[in-house]
Structures are given as structure tokens and as C-alpha cells.
Amino acid sequence: MLRVRDGDEDSFRVLLDKHRNSLVHFLYRMVQEQPVSEELAQEVFLRIYRSRASYEPTARFTTWMFRIATHLALNWLRDAKHERSQERLDEDRSSGMPARELPDRKLSVEQRMVYQARLQEVRDAIATLPEKQRAAVLMHKYEEMEYSQIAGVLEISESAVKSLLFRAYETLRARLAYMVTGGPR
Amino acid sequence: MNCPLLEQTDLLLDYTAGRLDSATAALFERHMENCTHCAAFRTEQAVLWNALDAWEPEPVSLSFNRTLWQRIDAIAAEPWYRRLIDGFRFGAWKPALPLAAAVCVIAAGFVLDHANAPTTTNVAGASGVSITEVDQAEKALDDIQLLRQLDSASHPEAKNSKTM
């Protein structure tokens, strides 16, 4: 990023290629809409590009990047909360998941349906978490970030991150407990 | 009674996430052979971990980079004042903040210092008489005293008749 600050565009390309996927995936899991996640990711990279001249390496680059991404995602979620109707959510659910999320084409129809139902349950469970808990879980689980880095992104203390994560996983375990026994609650 | 290790949530989460070093993980393994609470936590968390693993995101669009570079090129083509506004909007002003703060402090100190400093027409005490006027009065008294001394020196008889 220091090279990008000094005007090296090739270094920006390297940063983009290195972090694009993880950033889009994080945003996708936050907002659960692929076009929106890509739009938000573009906005993150544009903000990084615009503010490159004033970049100061006070924190890890990924911490800074995910902080921007989290702010954008939380703002979008707050704006969208009032706009999205239940009808739209139901429509999305009934339209099914993209073929990409199917685990194995060789699964039987019944197995696929079970898989889709479980996956939808996971998505819903994540979506119902409070915003900061959701962000903390996604960074901890999927981005494998340390507590200190999550704390840097969310601008809270490390102990607050641990508390957020504990409560979030507790909620998820309770909600998805039926998966232990193999049947719905 | 619950196991006190359940209070060490970060350790338990790190254990189930496979992020502990092998020695500490082995200690946990041994502990869980005898602790049903921790063993139950491990089982539930492992199930949750697997469930979350199943959620794979969609691949990023192939046009992502191209679209982004088009937007960056559009930024570069913006007029200078627009880029300046954006620079302020996206924090380009931040490095100048300490300098601006220092200038403000110096300016405030200068103003305060000069607001308290005495002027040439300052009021001396609460009588309403200026320092200039006091100086002039003292000078006038000195002059009168000098004139009297000169007068007495030039007419000593007058002085003597008065004393008689």
C-alpha cells in the first residue's frame, strides 16, 4: 500500500487481485446479495484508491480495508432494512439458491433439498445476528482473523470482540442445534 | 456445576477452530475425556463449524476488475476541483490537521497575549487618569520647583525680608 501511495498503479493491481475475493465474499455474507456485495467491494477499492495519498500505515492494510467494508455493509444493511419487504425475502427464498452452491451434482434430489434447506437455515441464522456480531463471526470464521484484528476493524476492545463472538456462536449453536440430531427442531 | 474452562471462551473457540498450538490442544483433548460440559461444547461447536463451512460464496464476476478500472479512469478524468473535493471527502486533509491545529493554537495565544497587554493610553489605577497625564503632571511640578530655585537664587534679599 505504501507503493500505491507513492503512485505505483501496478501495486494497486496486486492489492486488488490479492484481496478482491476475500472482500467480496465477506461482503456477500454480510449483505447476502451478490450484486450488492460486488458494488460495495468496488466502493471499498475506490475509497482506497482515492485516499491512497493520505494513507498512513498505522494499522495493517487488511484491517483498514475491512473497516471500510464493514462500515459500508452496515450502512447498506441499515438503509435496506426499511426498504426490503417480507415479500421480497420470501420471493428470494422460493427462487432457490444459485447452482454454484450445490455441493455435488451427483446428490439425489432429496439430498439436494435437504442440503439447500440446511444452507438456508445457516444463512438465516447468520442474517438474524445483530450486525456487529455478524461481522465478527464472518471475520473470525471465514477470514480467520485474530481477535486483535477484528477489534481493530470494529473499533472495539479485544475483550468486547470475544464477548461478541461468544454470544454470536451461542445463538448460532442454539438455532442450528437440530443439525446435531439430524432433524428439524 | 459447569467447568471453569467454559469461561475461557476464546480458548475453546480457538480449540474448535483448530487454532491452538499442538501442546495446548493436547491438554484440551485430555481434559475433555473427563469433562462432559467441555466435550458437549466441542461437539456443538464442531457441528456449527461444519454447517458454516457449507456456505460457500458465489465467485466474483469476471467483469469486476474491468468495471473498477473504468471507474478509476473516470476519477482520473474528473476536473481538478472535483478531485480536490473528493480528496477532502476521503481524508486527504488529514495530514494537514496537526499543522492547522498548531496554527490555531499560536493564533489564539497571540490574540490572548495582546488582549491583556497594556497600551500607552492605559488607565492607571481606578482614578481614570492616564499614565501620560501623570508623567506630564510630574514634569510640570519638577519645572515649577526648578523655577522657584532659580528665582530664590537671583533675589536673595527678597528671601531674607520674608524671613525677617
Side-chain angles (χ1 to χ4, degrees):
Chain A
M1 186 61 204
L2 291 173
R3 285 185 195 160
V4 175
R5 185 183 65 181
D6 297 337
D8 184 352
E9 285 215 340
D10 286 339
S11 295
F12 187 75
R13 284 177 207 277
V14 172
L15 274 182
L16 175 61
D17 288 338
K18 186 178 177 186
H19 298 291
R20 179 191 53 227
N21 286 359
S22 64
L23 186 66
V24 174
H25 293 167
F26 168 73
L27 286 164
Y28 169 69
R29 289 182 174 113
M30 279 294 286
V31 301
Q32 301 203 6
E33 289 191 33
Q34 183 68 13
V36 175
S37 65
E38 292 200 7
E39 178 59 33
L40 292 177
Q42 294 236 338
E43 185 60 32
V44 173
F45 282 116
L46 279 178
R47 288 192 180 200
I48 289 169
Y49 186 82
R50 282 179 192 270
S51 54
R52 66 195 184 284
S54 61
Y55 175 73
E56 291 293 333
T58 51
R60 287 170 68 171
F61 170 73
T62 47
T63 304
W64 183 49
M65 183 179 73
F66 273 92
R67 190 182 299 157
I68 299 170
T70 305
H71 281 162
L72 286 174
L74 294 182
N75 283 342
W76 186 88
L77 286 168
R78 281 164 201 159
D79 291 344
K81 192 182 276 183
H82 304 294
E83 292 170 10
R84 280 182 298 181
S85 65
Q86 189 58 44
E87 192 178 86
R88 166 85 185 281
L89 285 172
D90 292 341
E91 185 183 299
D92 286 349
R93 284 170 192 167
S94 63
S95 65
M97 312 299 297
R100 168 71 176 80
E101 293 185 350
L102 291 175
D104 191 341
R105 300 275 180 185
K106 291 174 187 169
L107 290 178
S108 68
V109 174
E110 189 184 355
Q111 284 172 321
R112 282 188 196 184
M113 287 175 68
V114 170
Y115 172 78
Q116 295 290 8
R118 288 189 168 197
L119 193 54
Q120 189 58 52
E121 188 68 23
V122 170
R123 288 163 54 114
D124 289 349
I126 295 273
T128 52
L129 288 175
E131 291 164 349
K132 282 201 170 178
Q133 286 187 24
R134 190 190 319 181
V137 164
L138 297 181
M139 283 185 272
H140 182 252
K141 170 70 183 93
Y142 296 107
E143 307 307 321
E144 300 187 350
M145 286 187 184
E146 302 291 333
Y147 299 112
S148 58
Q149 204 181 354
I150 299 171
V153 172
L154 297 178
E155 296 177 287
I156 55 176
S157 67
E158 248 184 85
S159 58
V161 169
K162 289 174 185 174
S163 175
L164 273 182
L165 283 172
F166 180 73
R167 278 183 279 136
Y169 284 128
E170 200 171 35
T171 306
L172 292 174
R173 282 197 303 274
R175 175 138 188 189
L176 303 173
Y178 78 93
M179 289 186 179
V180 181
T181 56
R185 282 174 293 181
Chain B
M1 189 179 149
N2 277 347
C3 174
L5 267 184
L6 286 172
E7 302 297 320
Q8 303 290 320
T9 53
D10 50 334
L11 280 178
L12 281 167
L13 289 177
D14 285 345
Y15 170 73
T16 49
R19 293 185 195 175
L20 286 182
D21 60 85
S22 55
T24 316
L27 282 174
F28 264 83
E29 291 286 351
R30 278 208 294 278
H31 170 74
M32 281 176 202
E33 286 171 8
N34 300 313
C35 178
T36 53
H37 296 291
C38 287
F41 180 94
R42 175 183 57 182
T43 306
E44 288 176 12
Q45 188 67 15
V47 169
L48 173 62
W49 219 245
N50 287 336
L52 295 176
D53 277 336
W55 186 16
E56 290 183 24
E58 293 180 52
V60 180
S61 305
L62 294 174
S63 61
F64 185 92
N65 281 20
R66 192 178 65 241
T67 310
L68 180 64
W69 282 109
Q70 282 172 350
R71 293 175 74 176
I72 287 173
D73 289 343
I75 292 170
E78 284 175 348
W80 64 270
Y81 57 85
R82 182 64 197 265
R83 287 203 300 273
L84 188 69
I85 291 168
D86 284 341
F88 276 97
R89 201 175 135 212
F90 293 106
W93 49 270
K94 283 180 182 171
L97 199 59
L99 180 65
V103 168
C104 285
V105 168
I106 291 168
F110 182 82
V111 168
L112 288 173
D113 185 50
H114 283 71
N116 293 334
T119 62
T120 52
T121 56
N122 252 1
V123 173
S127 61
V129 181
S130 74
I131 289 170
T132 312
E133 288 169 337
V134 171
D135 287 344
Q136 286 172 345
E138 281 178 357
K139 194 167 184 302
L141 287 171
D142 289 343
D143 290 344
I144 291 167
Q145 184 71 28
L146 187 64
L147 285 170
R148 279 188 181 157
Q149 286 171 357
L150 286 171
D151 188 49
S152 59
S154 57
H155 302 95
E157 65 282 358
K159 191 180 176 183
N160 290 339
S161 63
K162 279 183 187 172
T163 55
M164 287 174 74

